[in-house]
Amino acid sequence: MKILVINSGSSSLKFELIDMTNEKTLAKGICERVGIANPIFTYKNLVKGTKIDKQEAPMENHSIAIDLVLKTLQDKEHGVITNVDEIDAIGHRVVHGGEYYDDSVVVDDEVIKNLEDVSALAPLHNPANIMGIKVMKELLPDKKNVVVFDTAFHQSMLPEAYMYAFPYEDYTELKVRKYGFHGTSHKYVSELVREVLGKEDSKIIVCHLGNGASISAVKNGKVVDTSMGLTPLAGVMMGTRTGDADPAAALYVMEKRGLSLKEIDTRMNKKSGILGIFGESSDFRDLEAAMEAGNERAKLAYDMFCYRVKIYIGAYAAAMDGVDAIAFTGGIGENGSDPRETICEGLGYLGLKFDAEKNKERISGTVELSKPDSKVKVYKVETNEELVIARDTYRLTK
Ligand code: AMP
């Protein structure tokens, strides 16, 4: 059984074809600048090791882009299948499922209607995700499509965790509440750590630290709390997003600088976080290089980032009455040994003993970074959101 995973953004489209008999990726790639000038196509055949590297290709819209993907997958030189019939089903990443979905679901007309209904909560993402589904249904009408939500895994939160203390009608009428995001990653990583721990009753804190970053508290396989909110702006500080800040600070900056709603939204989502404090880049590697060269604003951004992750870990240990394991994932969590050390240094009070030497070794896969006698285990885990999407698609369509 082969599953095609699609992550359709407004001007990009990521894809991956996975063979579910061994969960190996056959081919993957990305269409960038879809619908704008100079679109580029990148593709890797992981069976033969061949690739198409950032080639210009006409992609005026998502339909043409997906058509190019399907043709390349069957292409003599680069292909991994001989016919699209070999694709059994398609799994789509969808950012927001609102309160409708606590699990992935096979697409039908009602699902599309519900996704459109919650689009107001994710105006940059859901419409582009829906477009990917519609195009796929057009191009391969006989195939089943499954949607896998970023929000679904977090739907187990209790009202005390997900409610905001706005007037109650803002929840009932406008659906204003915490939803949480990166759910597929939190699910994959927490399930893997639960297996490694070898016990059903487990209290796991997952730190997904990438350009976007979120933390979750997962008790016995269910999310108790997570750091992102109504939108992916809340929580820890991120590459370009503020993370938590007094909401009144946004109103104050708006008023003092004469900004429109759209401008303050852009300022908080695209110009803040590491970029906003450091001033030169949102990329963590640039930040670390500048810090080593003595840049004080880079050091401030680094300290703020690590401090905020650390206080979330403390809060989530409180939320679960303890913690068995902390897992680091995402681009920074998987590769950045210094932030892992800085964050864990302050957690000795939980009974955590960090293995700083092991942390510096660059070993791939899941690696334990705590000492054998540590009360709280620490792991580095390589997340795999595409595999979660493929597994759910397989489960719902096999
Ligand atoms: P993601 O959004 O998960 O792809 O993560 C992107 C972030 O991971 C960027 O800020 C990168 O700078 C960061 N990153 C990637 N490799 C490393 C590394 N070796 N050390 C620190 N940060 C890294």
Side-chain angles (χ1 to χ4, degrees):
M1 181 137 186
K2 295 185 181 90
I3 304 285
L4 179 61
V5 174
I6 296 280
N7 183 350
S8 171
S10 54
S11 64
S12 71
L13 189 129
K14 286 189 202 149
F15 60 93
E16 189 160 332
L17 186 68
I18 301 179
D19 182 349
M20 295 313 287
T21 53
N22 52 14
E23 296 195 334
K24 289 264 182 300
T25 299
L26 301 171
K28 64 178 181 179
I30 179 166
C31 306
E32 292 171 276
R33 307 181 56 82
V34 177
I36 45 182
N38 312 318
I40 39 177
F41 182 62
T42 304
Y43 175 91
K44 251 191 207 165
N45 174 329
L46 284 105
V47 182
K48 294 190 209 154
T50 58
K51 60 181 172 183
I52 300 171
D53 203 15
K54 292 194 181 278
Q55 204 172 79
E56 283 213 20
M59 290 184 277
E60 290 105 74
N61 57 45
H62 283 64
S63 183
I64 297 174
I66 294 183
D67 194 47
L68 173 66
V69 170
L70 295 175
K71 285 202 172 108
T72 312
L73 287 171
Q74 301 168 76
D75 173 292
K76 267 223 170 95
E77 192 185 346
H78 297 287
V80 285
I81 51 175
T82 46
N83 193 297
V84 281
D85 282 341
E86 288 180 46
I87 300 172
D88 294 279
I90 302 115
H92 298 262
R93 177 187 182 197
V94 170
V95 167
H96 221 307
E99 288 189 321
Y100 286 112
Y101 301 105
D102 62 3
D103 194 4
S104 307
V105 63
V106 179
V107 176
D108 60 16
D109 291 346
E110 193 195 343
V111 171
I112 301 266
K113 195 186 135 296
N114 291 342
L115 294 185
E116 282 167 347
D117 190 45
V118 294
S119 278
L121 295 173
L124 296 178
H125 296 104
N126 267 35
N129 303 154
I130 297 167
M131 185 157 55
I133 300 167
K134 286 186 172 168
V135 168
M136 214 69 235
K137 276 166 73 81
E138 245 173 61
L139 293 176
L140 300 178
D142 300 334
K143 307 288 174 191
K144 281 195 176 149
N145 290 270
V146 168
V147 283
V148 180
F149 302 96
D150 269 23
T151 49
F153 186 51
H154 301 301
Q155 278 291 304
S156 53
M157 282 185 287
L158 294 175
E160 66 206 44
Y162 72 68
M163 285 298 290
Y164 292 145
F166 278 77
Y168 195 68
E169 59 270 24
D170 290 350
Y171 168 63
T172 52
E173 294 167 14
L174 304 178
K175 303 287 174 218
V176 170
R177 53 159 281 184
K178 176 189 281 196
Y179 290 96
F181 297 87
H182 289 146
T184 46
S185 176
H186 288 285
K187 183 176 178 196
Y188 177 82
V189 173
S190 61
E191 281 177 359
L192 196 149
V193 170
R194 200 174 178 204
E195 254 180 66
V196 172
L197 288 175
K199 53 183 205 166
E200 285 291 296
D201 293 349
S202 54
K203 297 167 182 175
I204 300 164
I205 297 175
V206 179
C207 304
H208 178 113
L209 309 178
N211 192 33
S214 64
I215 321 272
S216 69
V218 187
K219 189 174 182 179
N220 307 335
K222 300 252 185 268
V223 174
V224 168
D225 208 341
T226 191
S227 60
M228 283 179 168
L230 173 75
T231 76
L233 178 60
V236 292
M237 175 175 158
M238 303 176 220
T240 60
R241 293 174 234 167
T242 54
D244 294 340
D246 181 348
L251 304 179
Y252 185 76
V253 171
M254 237 178 126
E255 191 193 2
K256 287 290 172 193
R257 297 199 181 278
L259 304 182
S260 65
L261 274 176
K262 199 168 180 311
E263 285 166 336
I264 190 71
D265 188 67
T266 304
R267 194 172 181 85
M268 294 177 78
N269 273 294
K270 303 245 163 86
K271 297 183 178 167
S272 297
I274 288 169
L275 175 66
I277 298 297
F278 169 34
E280 290 174 25
S281 165
S282 62
D283 192 287
F284 214 84
R285 285 163 293 195
D286 295 343
L287 177 85
E288 289 189 320
M291 203 168 73
E292 260 173 44
N295 183 315
E296 282 181 14
R297 275 173 58 178
K299 171 87 172 82
L300 172 63
Y302 177 90
D303 289 345
M304 287 171 69
F305 179 85
C306 295
Y307 173 77
R308 284 157 180 239
V309 174
K310 191 176 74 174
I311 61 172
Y312 260 100
I313 291 173
Y316 286 174
M320 295 190 289
D321 298 324
V323 51
D324 297 316
I326 299 168
F328 289 96
T329 195
I332 301 167
E334 289 170 30
N335 304 301
S337 52
D338 287 350
R340 287 193 303 246
E341 184 174 343
T342 310
I343 293 161
C344 289
E345 255 172 9
L347 299 174
Y349 73 98
L350 291 171
L352 189 157
K353 292 185 189 165
F354 191 67
D355 190 336
E357 290 312 309
K358 183 92 172 282
N359 181 51
K360 286 191 180 68
E361 294 169 19
R362 298 188 69 80
I363 311 167
S364 63
T366 304
V367 184
E368 187 176 329
L369 303 174
S370 44
K371 293 199 167 146
D373 61 340
S374 180
K375 231 178 105 201
V376 179
K377 302 279 176 211
V378 180
Y379 298 96
K380 176 213 80 154
V381 178
E382 288 166 14
T383 195
N384 194 338
E385 294 168 88
E386 288 73 22
L387 186 57
V388 175
I389 297 172
R391 281 178 181 168
D392 276 13
T393 306
Y394 179 63
R395 168 170 61 88
L396 293 169
T397 59
K398 71 177 176 210

